[in-house]
Amino acid sequence: MISVEKALETILAGCCPLGFEKVNILEASGRVMGEDVIAQRDIPPSPNSAKDGYAVRSSDTKGAKSRTPVELKVIETIAAGSLPRKTVNKGQAARIMTGAVIPKGADAVVLREETEEKDKTVIMKTAVLRGAEVRFAGEDVKKGEIIIEKGSVLRPGHIGMLAALGKAFVTVYQKPRVAILCTGDELVELETDPSPGKIVNSNSYSLAAQVRECGGIPVMLGIGRDNRSDLVEKFELAGRSDVVLSSGGVSVGDYDFVKDVMGDLGNAMHFWKVAMRPGKPMAFGSLNGLPLFGLPGNPVSVMVSFEQLVRPYLLKMQGHKQIFRQIFKAVSAQTIRKETGFKHFMRAVVQKEGDRYVARLTGEQGSGILKSMMAANAFIVLDEDVSFVKKGDEVVVQMLDETMLRTDVPCFE
Ligand code: AMP
Ligand code: MG
Protein backbone atom coordinates (compact mmCIF):
# COMPACT_ATOMS: atom_id res chain seq x y z
CA MET A 1 0.00 0.00 0.00
CA ILE A 2 1.38 3.42 -0.90
CA SER A 3 0.54 6.93 0.28
CA VAL A 4 -1.65 9.27 -1.74
CA GLU A 5 1.39 11.50 -2.30
CA LYS A 6 3.52 8.63 -3.61
CA ALA A 7 0.65 7.44 -5.81
CA LEU A 8 0.29 10.93 -7.29
CA GLU A 9 4.02 11.21 -7.84
CA THR A 10 4.09 7.88 -9.70
CA ILE A 11 1.04 8.76 -11.78
CA LEU A 12 2.21 12.25 -12.73
CA ALA A 13 5.78 11.15 -13.50
CA GLY A 14 4.49 9.23 -16.50
CA CYS A 15 2.08 11.90 -17.71
CA CYS A 16 2.94 13.92 -20.81
CA PRO A 17 0.81 16.72 -22.22
CA LEU A 18 -1.08 15.77 -25.37
CA GLY A 19 -0.57 17.44 -28.73
CA PHE A 20 -2.32 20.52 -30.07
CA GLU A 21 -5.34 21.24 -32.21
CA LYS A 22 -6.85 24.32 -33.81
CA VAL A 23 -10.30 25.24 -32.59
CA ASN A 24 -12.73 28.01 -33.32
CA ILE A 25 -12.74 30.58 -30.52
CA LEU A 26 -16.42 29.75 -29.94
CA GLU A 27 -15.24 26.34 -28.72
CA ALA A 28 -12.13 27.57 -26.93
CA SER A 29 -13.45 28.66 -23.53
CA GLY A 30 -11.83 26.60 -20.74
CA ARG A 31 -9.11 25.25 -23.06
CA VAL A 32 -5.38 25.79 -22.54
CA MET A 33 -3.50 27.89 -25.10
CA GLY A 34 -0.94 25.91 -27.05
CA GLU A 35 0.79 28.99 -28.50
CA ASP A 36 1.68 32.55 -27.58
CA VAL A 37 -0.68 35.04 -29.14
CA ILE A 38 1.15 38.11 -30.43
CA ALA A 39 -0.97 41.15 -31.20
CA GLN A 40 -0.82 41.93 -34.89
CA ARG A 41 -2.44 45.32 -34.41
CA ASP A 42 -3.01 48.09 -31.92
CA ILE A 43 -6.28 48.11 -30.01
CA PRO A 44 -7.84 50.58 -30.45
CA PRO A 45 -6.34 51.03 -33.91
CA SER A 46 -6.69 54.83 -33.83
CA PRO A 47 -7.58 57.49 -31.25
CA ASN A 48 -11.33 57.59 -30.82
CA SER A 49 -13.98 59.13 -28.69
CA ALA A 50 -15.04 57.47 -25.43
CA LYS A 51 -18.32 59.39 -25.39
CA ASP A 52 -20.88 61.14 -27.56
CA GLY A 53 -19.93 64.81 -27.60
CA TYR A 54 -17.73 67.36 -29.34
CA ALA A 55 -14.13 66.91 -30.40
CA VAL A 56 -12.29 70.13 -29.55
CA ARG A 57 -8.89 71.68 -29.09
CA SER A 58 -8.65 71.66 -25.30
CA SER A 59 -6.92 75.05 -25.36
CA ASP A 60 -10.11 76.56 -26.87
CA THR A 61 -12.09 75.60 -23.76
CA LYS A 62 -9.68 77.18 -21.33
CA GLY A 63 -11.51 79.33 -18.80
CA ALA A 64 -14.96 78.16 -19.96
CA LYS A 65 -17.50 78.47 -17.12
CA SER A 66 -21.22 79.01 -17.03
CA ARG A 67 -20.65 82.75 -16.57
CA THR A 68 -17.97 82.88 -19.29
CA PRO A 69 -18.96 80.20 -21.83
CA VAL A 70 -17.03 79.51 -25.01
CA GLU A 71 -18.80 79.25 -28.35
CA LEU A 72 -17.25 77.04 -31.05
CA LYS A 73 -18.23 76.54 -34.67
CA VAL A 74 -19.40 73.00 -35.50
CA ILE A 75 -17.69 71.92 -38.73
CA GLU A 76 -18.98 68.36 -39.21
CA THR A 77 -20.56 65.28 -37.58
CA ILE A 78 -18.44 62.12 -37.26
CA ALA A 79 -20.28 58.81 -36.80
CA ALA A 80 -18.64 55.62 -35.50
CA GLY A 81 -17.24 53.73 -38.48
CA SER A 82 -16.71 56.79 -40.69
CA LEU A 83 -13.61 58.95 -40.87
CA PRO A 84 -13.35 62.69 -40.12
CA ARG A 85 -13.02 64.74 -43.28
CA LYS A 86 -11.90 68.00 -41.73
CA THR A 87 -9.28 69.33 -39.35
CA VAL A 88 -10.49 71.03 -36.20
CA ASN A 89 -8.90 74.47 -36.19
CA LYS A 90 -8.92 77.13 -33.51
CA GLY A 91 -12.48 78.08 -32.57
CA GLN A 92 -13.96 74.94 -34.11
CA ALA A 93 -15.48 71.66 -32.88
CA ALA A 94 -16.73 68.46 -34.55
CA ARG A 95 -19.82 66.62 -33.30
CA ILE A 96 -18.54 63.11 -32.57
CA MET A 97 -20.12 59.79 -31.58
CA THR A 98 -18.70 57.13 -29.24
CA GLY A 99 -16.06 55.07 -31.03
CA ALA A 100 -15.59 57.54 -33.92
CA VAL A 101 -12.04 58.54 -34.87
CA ILE A 102 -10.81 61.81 -33.32
CA PRO A 103 -10.25 64.38 -36.08
CA LYS A 104 -6.91 66.06 -36.69
CA GLY A 105 -6.41 69.16 -34.57
CA ALA A 106 -8.69 67.95 -31.75
CA ASP A 107 -7.20 66.56 -28.54
CA ALA A 108 -10.21 66.19 -26.23
CA VAL A 109 -13.92 65.47 -26.23
CA VAL A 110 -16.55 67.43 -24.34
CA LEU A 111 -19.60 65.39 -23.29
CA ARG A 112 -22.70 66.29 -25.22
CA GLU A 113 -24.65 66.64 -21.94
CA GLU A 114 -22.29 69.42 -20.88
CA THR A 115 -22.88 71.58 -23.93
CA GLU A 116 -25.65 73.64 -25.36
CA GLU A 117 -26.22 73.10 -29.04
CA LYS A 118 -27.18 75.98 -31.28
CA ASP A 119 -27.72 76.09 -35.01
CA LYS A 120 -24.15 75.73 -36.28
CA THR A 121 -22.35 76.39 -33.04
CA VAL A 122 -21.96 74.78 -29.65
CA ILE A 123 -21.59 76.45 -26.29
CA MET A 124 -19.24 74.97 -23.70
CA LYS A 125 -19.60 75.88 -20.07
CA THR A 126 -16.74 73.79 -18.74
CA ALA A 127 -13.08 73.51 -19.68
CA VAL A 128 -11.55 70.16 -20.61
CA LEU A 129 -7.98 68.97 -20.34
CA ARG A 130 -5.98 67.52 -23.20
CA GLY A 131 -6.89 63.82 -23.64
CA ALA A 132 -10.30 64.07 -21.92
CA GLU A 133 -12.61 61.27 -23.13
CA VAL A 134 -10.11 60.23 -25.81
CA ARG A 135 -9.19 56.55 -26.14
CA PHE A 136 -5.66 56.49 -27.49
CA ALA A 137 -4.40 54.16 -30.21
CA GLY A 138 -2.88 51.06 -28.58
CA GLU A 139 -4.02 52.03 -25.07
CA ASP A 140 -5.38 48.49 -24.55
CA VAL A 141 -3.05 46.40 -26.73
CA LYS A 142 0.17 47.33 -28.50
CA LYS A 143 1.10 45.71 -31.77
CA GLY A 144 3.84 43.10 -31.16
CA GLU A 145 2.87 42.52 -27.52
CA ILE A 146 2.47 38.90 -26.29
CA ILE A 147 -1.10 39.25 -25.23
CA ILE A 148 -1.91 35.64 -24.25
CA GLU A 149 0.84 33.25 -23.20
CA LYS A 150 1.03 29.58 -24.02
CA GLY A 151 -0.41 27.68 -21.05
CA SER A 152 -3.08 30.27 -20.22
CA VAL A 153 -6.54 28.93 -19.51
CA LEU A 154 -8.97 30.70 -21.80
CA ARG A 155 -11.79 32.44 -20.02
CA PRO A 156 -14.46 34.68 -21.55
CA GLY A 157 -12.17 37.74 -21.31
CA HIS A 158 -9.51 35.92 -23.36
CA ILE A 159 -12.09 34.95 -25.96
CA GLY A 160 -13.14 38.59 -26.25
CA MET A 161 -9.50 39.62 -26.67
CA LEU A 162 -8.90 36.99 -29.37
CA ALA A 163 -11.99 38.25 -31.18
CA ALA A 164 -10.83 41.87 -30.83
CA LEU A 165 -7.58 40.80 -32.49
CA GLY A 166 -9.60 39.24 -35.30
CA LYS A 167 -8.56 35.64 -34.60
CA ALA A 168 -11.22 33.03 -35.39
CA PHE A 169 -9.05 30.00 -34.59
CA VAL A 170 -6.48 29.30 -31.91
CA THR A 171 -4.12 26.44 -31.14
CA VAL A 172 -4.99 24.72 -27.87
CA TYR A 173 -3.97 21.49 -26.13
CA GLN A 174 -6.03 18.48 -27.17
CA LYS A 175 -8.65 17.03 -24.87
CA PRO A 176 -7.95 13.51 -23.65
CA ARG A 177 -10.32 10.78 -24.75
CA VAL A 178 -11.06 8.81 -21.62
CA ALA A 179 -12.44 5.28 -21.97
CA ILE A 180 -14.71 4.21 -19.09
CA LEU A 181 -15.46 0.56 -18.34
CA CYS A 182 -17.48 -0.44 -15.31
CA THR A 183 -17.14 -4.03 -14.20
CA GLY A 184 -19.54 -6.22 -12.28
CA ASP A 185 -21.94 -9.11 -12.87
CA GLU A 186 -24.46 -7.26 -10.73
CA LEU A 187 -24.66 -4.24 -13.01
CA VAL A 188 -27.50 -3.39 -15.36
CA GLU A 189 -27.80 -0.38 -17.65
CA LEU A 190 -30.07 2.64 -17.20
CA GLU A 191 -33.78 2.34 -17.95
CA THR A 192 -33.79 -1.33 -16.89
CA ASP A 193 -35.50 -2.59 -13.78
CA PRO A 194 -32.80 -4.37 -11.83
CA SER A 195 -33.87 -7.92 -11.01
CA PRO A 196 -33.07 -9.20 -7.49
CA GLY A 197 -29.37 -9.05 -6.82
CA LYS A 198 -28.70 -6.51 -9.55
CA ILE A 199 -28.04 -2.76 -9.34
CA VAL A 200 -27.93 0.02 -11.89
CA ASN A 201 -24.49 0.99 -13.17
CA SER A 202 -24.08 4.52 -11.88
CA ASN A 203 -20.29 4.77 -11.86
CA SER A 204 -20.01 5.10 -15.64
CA TYR A 205 -22.10 8.22 -15.42
CA SER A 206 -20.48 9.87 -12.43
CA LEU A 207 -17.09 9.21 -14.03
CA ALA A 208 -18.24 10.61 -17.38
CA ALA A 209 -19.41 13.77 -15.61
CA GLN A 210 -16.10 14.08 -13.76
CA VAL A 211 -14.15 13.56 -16.98
CA ARG A 212 -16.19 16.28 -18.70
CA GLU A 213 -15.83 18.62 -15.77
CA CYS A 214 -12.07 18.59 -16.16
CA GLY A 215 -12.12 18.94 -19.91
CA GLY A 216 -11.87 15.33 -21.11
CA ILE A 217 -14.05 13.44 -23.57
CA PRO A 218 -15.66 10.35 -22.05
CA VAL A 219 -15.75 7.25 -24.24
CA MET A 220 -18.36 4.91 -22.83
CA LEU A 221 -17.31 1.24 -22.98
CA GLY A 222 -20.34 0.07 -20.99
CA ILE A 223 -20.28 -2.85 -18.58
CA GLY A 224 -17.63 -5.53 -18.36
CA ARG A 225 -18.57 -8.83 -16.74
CA ASP A 226 -16.62 -10.42 -13.93
CA ASN A 227 -14.54 -12.78 -16.04
CA ARG A 228 -11.15 -12.36 -17.60
CA SER A 229 -12.14 -12.84 -21.19
CA ASP A 230 -14.98 -10.33 -21.13
CA LEU A 231 -12.72 -7.73 -19.52
CA VAL A 232 -9.97 -8.30 -22.07
CA GLU A 233 -12.51 -8.01 -24.87
CA LYS A 234 -14.11 -4.84 -23.48
CA PHE A 235 -10.77 -3.19 -22.79
CA GLU A 236 -9.93 -3.69 -26.48
CA LEU A 237 -12.71 -1.19 -27.21
CA ALA A 238 -10.61 1.54 -25.60
CA GLY A 239 -8.89 1.65 -28.99
CA ARG A 240 -7.44 5.07 -29.62
CA SER A 241 -8.37 6.61 -26.29
CA ASP A 242 -5.67 8.37 -24.30
CA VAL A 243 -6.56 7.00 -20.86
CA VAL A 244 -8.60 4.04 -19.61
CA LEU A 245 -10.65 4.07 -16.41
CA SER A 246 -12.26 0.99 -14.98
CA SER A 247 -14.38 0.71 -11.87
CA GLY A 248 -14.78 -2.32 -9.64
CA GLY A 249 -13.14 -5.70 -9.76
CA VAL A 250 -9.91 -4.41 -8.29
CA SER A 251 -10.26 -5.58 -4.69
CA VAL A 252 -9.59 -8.99 -3.14
CA GLY A 253 -12.85 -10.71 -4.15
CA ASP A 254 -12.98 -14.03 -5.98
CA TYR A 255 -14.23 -12.28 -9.12
CA ASP A 256 -11.96 -9.25 -9.14
CA PHE A 257 -10.07 -9.64 -12.43
CA VAL A 258 -8.91 -6.13 -13.33
CA LYS A 259 -5.54 -6.61 -11.59
CA ASP A 260 -5.12 -9.97 -13.34
CA VAL A 261 -5.59 -8.33 -16.72
CA MET A 262 -2.95 -5.76 -15.77
CA GLY A 263 -0.65 -8.71 -15.16
CA ASP A 264 -1.04 -9.99 -18.73
CA LEU A 265 1.86 -9.93 -21.13
CA GLY A 266 2.52 -6.40 -22.38
CA ASN A 267 0.50 -4.81 -19.60
CA ALA A 268 1.82 -3.57 -16.27
CA MET A 269 0.73 -2.72 -12.75
CA HIS A 270 2.68 0.11 -11.13
CA PHE A 271 0.88 0.03 -7.81
CA TRP A 272 -2.14 -1.44 -6.08
CA LYS A 273 -3.83 -0.07 -2.96
CA VAL A 274 -3.51 3.50 -1.79
CA ALA A 275 -3.61 4.55 1.86
CA MET A 276 -6.78 6.58 1.48
CA ARG A 277 -10.41 6.30 2.54
CA PRO A 278 -12.54 5.93 0.67
CA GLY A 279 -10.66 4.55 -2.31
CA LYS A 280 -8.09 2.09 -0.97
CA PRO A 281 -8.49 -0.66 -3.60
CA MET A 282 -7.12 1.11 -6.59
CA ALA A 283 -4.57 -0.05 -9.14
CA PHE A 284 -2.58 1.97 -11.65
CA GLY A 285 -0.78 0.47 -14.58
CA SER A 286 -0.85 0.20 -18.33
CA LEU A 287 -2.98 -1.78 -20.68
CA ASN A 288 -2.34 -2.19 -24.40
CA GLY A 289 0.05 0.76 -24.13
CA LEU A 290 -2.50 3.06 -22.46
CA PRO A 291 -2.47 4.28 -18.87
CA LEU A 292 -5.09 2.36 -16.90
CA PHE A 293 -6.62 3.56 -13.65
CA GLY A 294 -8.30 0.57 -11.99
CA LEU A 295 -10.66 2.50 -9.71
CA PRO A 296 -12.70 1.01 -6.89
CA GLY A 297 -16.31 -0.06 -7.45
CA ASN A 298 -18.08 1.66 -4.60
CA PRO A 299 -19.92 4.70 -5.95
CA VAL A 300 -18.24 7.24 -3.68
CA SER A 301 -14.81 5.59 -3.66
CA VAL A 302 -14.65 5.74 -7.43
CA MET A 303 -15.40 9.46 -7.41
CA VAL A 304 -12.94 10.25 -4.63
CA SER A 305 -10.18 8.26 -6.36
CA PHE A 306 -10.92 10.10 -9.59
CA GLU A 307 -10.73 13.46 -7.83
CA GLN A 308 -7.45 12.73 -6.09
CA LEU A 309 -5.56 10.78 -8.72
CA VAL A 310 -7.16 10.94 -12.15
CA ARG A 311 -8.20 14.57 -12.36
CA PRO A 312 -4.65 15.97 -11.89
CA TYR A 313 -3.44 13.54 -14.56
CA LEU A 314 -6.09 14.63 -17.07
CA LEU A 315 -5.42 18.31 -16.37
CA LYS A 316 -1.67 17.84 -16.84
CA MET A 317 -2.38 16.10 -20.16
CA GLN A 318 -4.24 19.21 -21.29
CA GLY A 319 -1.35 21.53 -20.48
CA HIS A 320 -2.82 22.94 -17.26
CA LYS A 321 -0.30 24.27 -14.76
CA GLN A 322 -2.82 24.45 -11.95
CA ILE A 323 -3.76 20.78 -11.61
CA PHE A 324 -4.82 20.58 -7.97
CA ARG A 325 -7.96 21.76 -6.28
CA GLN A 326 -7.82 24.77 -4.04
CA ILE A 327 -6.91 23.88 -0.47
CA PHE A 328 -7.36 26.06 2.61
CA LYS A 329 -8.13 25.90 6.30
CA ALA A 330 -11.57 25.87 7.83
CA VAL A 331 -13.01 25.25 11.26
CA SER A 332 -14.65 21.89 11.86
CA ALA A 333 -18.27 22.21 12.92
CA GLN A 334 -18.14 18.86 14.67
CA THR A 335 -16.04 16.24 16.35
CA ILE A 336 -14.67 13.67 13.88
CA ARG A 337 -13.06 10.33 14.65
CA LYS A 338 -11.09 8.32 12.13
CA GLU A 339 -8.74 5.38 11.96
CA THR A 340 -5.06 6.14 11.52
CA GLY A 341 -2.96 4.85 8.64
CA PHE A 342 -5.20 6.30 5.93
CA LYS A 343 -5.69 9.76 4.51
CA HIS A 344 -9.41 10.48 4.73
CA PHE A 345 -11.41 12.58 2.31
CA MET A 346 -14.66 13.37 4.07
CA ARG A 347 -17.60 14.83 2.21
CA ALA A 348 -18.39 18.26 3.55
CA VAL A 349 -19.93 21.61 2.91
CA VAL A 350 -17.69 24.59 3.48
CA GLN A 351 -19.44 27.86 4.13
CA LYS A 352 -18.30 31.32 5.04
CA GLU A 353 -19.60 32.29 8.44
CA GLY A 354 -18.56 35.78 9.42
CA ASP A 355 -14.84 36.04 8.73
CA ARG A 356 -14.07 32.32 8.84
CA TYR A 357 -14.81 29.22 6.83
CA VAL A 358 -16.71 26.45 8.56
CA ALA A 359 -16.67 22.84 7.35
CA ARG A 360 -19.59 20.55 8.13
CA LEU A 361 -19.88 16.90 7.11
CA THR A 362 -22.74 16.27 4.70
CA GLY A 363 -23.84 13.12 6.51
CA GLU A 364 -23.08 9.39 6.39
CA GLN A 365 -19.56 8.76 5.08
CA GLY A 366 -19.99 5.17 3.88
CA SER A 367 -18.37 4.50 0.50
CA GLY A 368 -21.75 3.71 -1.02
CA ILE A 369 -23.55 6.82 0.26
CA LEU A 370 -23.84 8.98 -2.84
CA LYS A 371 -26.23 11.39 -1.19
CA SER A 372 -23.48 12.88 0.97
CA MET A 373 -21.25 13.16 -2.11
CA MET A 374 -23.98 14.95 -3.97
CA ALA A 375 -24.34 17.53 -1.19
CA ALA A 376 -20.62 18.16 -0.79
CA ASN A 377 -18.77 21.18 -2.13
CA ALA A 378 -15.50 20.09 -0.50
CA PHE A 379 -13.60 17.35 1.23
CA ILE A 380 -12.24 17.66 4.74
CA VAL A 381 -8.78 16.14 4.31
CA LEU A 382 -7.42 14.35 7.36
CA ASP A 383 -3.89 13.00 7.30
CA GLU A 384 -2.88 9.42 8.00
CA ASP A 385 -1.74 10.05 11.59
CA VAL A 386 -4.86 11.98 12.64
CA SER A 387 -7.40 10.04 14.70
CA PHE A 388 -9.51 12.76 16.22
CA VAL A 389 -10.69 16.26 15.40
CA LYS A 390 -12.46 18.34 18.02
CA LYS A 391 -15.34 20.64 17.18
CA GLY A 392 -13.74 24.03 16.51
CA ASP A 393 -10.37 22.59 15.41
CA GLU A 394 -8.81 23.81 12.20
CA VAL A 395 -8.98 21.31 9.34
CA VAL A 396 -7.69 21.33 5.77
CA VAL A 397 -10.44 21.51 3.17
CA GLN A 398 -10.15 20.78 -0.51
CA MET A 399 -12.75 22.60 -2.55
CA LEU A 400 -14.63 20.61 -5.17
CA ASP A 401 -16.42 23.60 -6.47
CA GLU A 402 -14.27 26.68 -6.23
CA THR A 403 -16.87 28.96 -7.67
CA MET A 404 -19.41 28.53 -4.96
CA LEU A 405 -19.20 28.51 -1.25
CA ARG A 406 -22.78 27.50 -0.97
CA THR A 407 -25.20 28.60 1.64
CA ASP A 408 -28.20 26.70 0.31
CA VAL A 409 -27.08 23.10 0.69
CA PRO A 410 -29.07 20.70 2.79
CA CYS A 411 -26.97 18.48 5.01
CA PHE A 412 -28.38 14.98 5.29
CA GLU A 413 -27.71 14.42 8.95
P1 AMP B 1 -16.26 -4.19 -6.38
O1 AMP B 1 -15.10 -3.29 -6.15
O2 AMP B 1 -16.37 -4.65 -7.77
O3 AMP B 1 -16.27 -5.30 -5.37
O4 AMP B 1 -17.54 -3.31 -6.08
C1 AMP B 1 -17.73 -2.74 -4.83
C2 AMP B 1 -19.15 -2.26 -4.64
O5 AMP B 1 -19.46 -1.24 -5.56
C3 AMP B 1 -20.20 -3.34 -4.84
O6 AMP B 1 -21.22 -3.17 -3.88
C4 AMP B 1 -20.71 -3.06 -6.21
O7 AMP B 1 -22.00 -3.52 -6.41
C5 AMP B 1 -20.62 -1.57 -6.31
N1 AMP B 1 -20.40 -1.17 -7.70
C6 AMP B 1 -19.44 -1.65 -8.50
N2 AMP B 1 -19.52 -1.11 -9.72
C7 AMP B 1 -20.54 -0.26 -9.70
C8 AMP B 1 -21.13 0.60 -10.67
N3 AMP B 1 -20.64 0.68 -11.90
N4 AMP B 1 -22.18 1.34 -10.31
C9 AMP B 1 -22.68 1.28 -9.06
N5 AMP B 1 -22.17 0.49 -8.09
C10 AMP B 1 -21.12 -0.29 -8.40
MG1 MG C 1 -17.30 -6.15 -8.66
Side-chain angles (χ1 to χ4, degrees):
M1 189 156 70
I2 63 171
S3 67
V4 175
E5 292 73 19
K6 186 73 198 158
L8 253 180
E9 194 186 312
T10 310
I11 286 167
L12 293 176
C15 177
C16 298
L18 297 169
F20 304 108
E21 63 178 334
K22 263 205 149 77
V23 296
N24 190 289
I25 61 166
L26 279 174
E27 312 300 328
S29 198
R31 304 293 293 271
V32 183
M33 275 303 295
E35 59 179 344
D36 286 341
V37 176
I38 297 167
Q40 301 298 331
R41 59 181 75 152
D42 279 349
I43 300 177
S46 35
N48 66 80
S49 179
K51 295 278 163 57
D52 295 320
Y54 288 87
V56 297
R57 303 165 76 93
S58 54
S59 52
D60 278 354
T61 69
K62 205 169 166 195
K65 291 201 182 85
S66 37
R67 275 187 296 114
T68 50
V70 170
E71 187 163 353
L72 301 173
K73 186 167 177 242
V74 179
I75 53 169
E76 67 168 331
T77 297
I78 313 160
S82 61
L83 290 174
R85 281 160 295 147
K86 298 180 178 165
T87 299
V88 175
N89 291 314
K90 202 167 166 25
Q92 297 181 334
R95 190 180 291 112
I96 193 164
M97 310 302 141
T98 306
V101 173
I102 302 286
K104 277 211 192 79
D107 62 5
V109 171
V110 181
L111 304 192
R112 197 160 188 170
E113 303 86 295
E114 289 170 7
T115 64
E116 215 172 280
E117 299 176 45
K118 281 200 171 169
D119 194 11
K120 289 197 171 124
T121 62
V122 59
I123 293 169
M124 322 250 152
K125 293 179 180 164
T126 46
V128 284
L129 295 176
R130 187 183 157 76
E133 305 301 347
V134 174
R135 301 191 286 216
F136 294 99
E139 75 171 20
D140 188 7
V141 176
K142 296 249 176 330
K143 185 177 174 181
E145 183 182 349
I146 298 181
I147 194 72
I148 302 177
E149 281 180 33
K150 182 177 174 180
S152 310
V153 181
L154 299 176
R155 291 180 297 107
H158 297 84
I159 305 299
M161 177 59 78
L162 290 165
L165 290 167
K167 276 180 92 73
F169 293 90
V170 280
T171 301
V172 293
Y173 282 91
Q174 284 170 354
K175 288 169 172 251
R177 292 170 55 82
V178 184
I180 299 170
L181 178 70
C182 284
T183 74
D185 280 347
E186 73 279 35
L187 302 178
V188 298
E189 262 312 343
L190 309 183
E191 305 286 336
T192 346
D193 263 341
S195 53
K198 308 286 184 192
I199 57 163
V200 176
N201 164 25
S202 59
N203 292 354
S204 288
Y205 301 91
S206 29
L207 282 174
Q210 288 183 296
V211 166
R212 278 234 165 80
E213 200 229 6
C214 67
I217 303 167
V219 179
M220 306 302 271
L221 302 189
I223 297 170
R225 295 306 169 193
D226 286 327
N227 61 75
R228 239 172 174 287
S229 59
D230 195 50
L231 291 186
V232 170
E233 199 177 298
K234 294 281 164 51
F235 275 135
E236 292 284 338
L237 300 174
R240 295 212 317 276
S241 301
D242 301 298
V243 179
V244 187
L245 308 182
S246 68
S247 99
V250 77
S251 194
V252 291
D254 290 350
Y255 304 98
D256 289 345
F257 288 113
V258 172
K259 296 190 311 292
D260 290 23
V261 175
M262 282 183 172
D264 285 353
L265 195 66
N267 297 339
M269 188 163 79
H270 305 317
F271 64 75
W272 177 49
K273 286 191 190 166
V274 182
M276 63 189 274
R277 290 235 195 263
K280 177 178 105 173
M282 169 188 161
F284 174 66
S286 70
L287 176 114
N288 307 330
L290 300 176
L292 168 64
F293 292 81
L295 304 172
N298 277 304
V300 176
S301 314
V302 71
M303 294 187 73
V304 174
S305 300
F306 180 97
E307 264 298 324
Q308 303 311 321
L309 301 170
V310 185
R311 184 176 182 276
Y313 188 93
L314 297 182
L315 291 176
K316 186 173 174 192
M317 277 185 127
Q318 295 167 81
H320 281 275
K321 293 176 199 145
Q322 174 73 50
I323 61 172
F324 299 116
R325 294 286 198 189
Q326 197 187 337
I327 276 179
F328 55 89
K329 292 217 168 114
V331 172
S332 176
Q334 67 237 97
T335 295
I336 304 171
R337 279 170 221 284
K338 77 177 258 297
E339 66 186 307
T340 54
F342 292 89
K343 193 164 190 154
H344 280 221
F345 296 92
M346 309 189 97
R347 286 144 263 169
V349 165
V350 174
Q351 289 169 316
K352 189 140 197 254
E353 289 181 11
D355 57 359
R356 58 186 203 163
Y357 289 102
V358 175
R360 196 168 272 110
L361 296 178
T362 51
E364 261 303 311
Q365 296 289 314
S367 56
I369 309 293
L370 260 182
K371 202 154 75 169
S372 53
M373 184 70 203
M374 191 171 75
N377 69 350
F379 291 126
I380 295 177
V381 185
L382 300 177
D383 275 335
E384 297 184 17
D385 56 347
V386 173
S387 62
F388 184 70
V389 173
K390 273 202 319 292
K391 180 177 174 177
D393 280 357
E394 246 187 10
V395 284
V396 170
V397 293
Q398 181 189 47
M399 294 309 293
L400 287 173
D401 191 331
E402 283 128 37
T403 57
M404 54 182 197
L405 284 165
R406 305 189 312 193
T407 53
D408 61 334
V409 187
C411 292
F412 300 100
E413 280 178 302

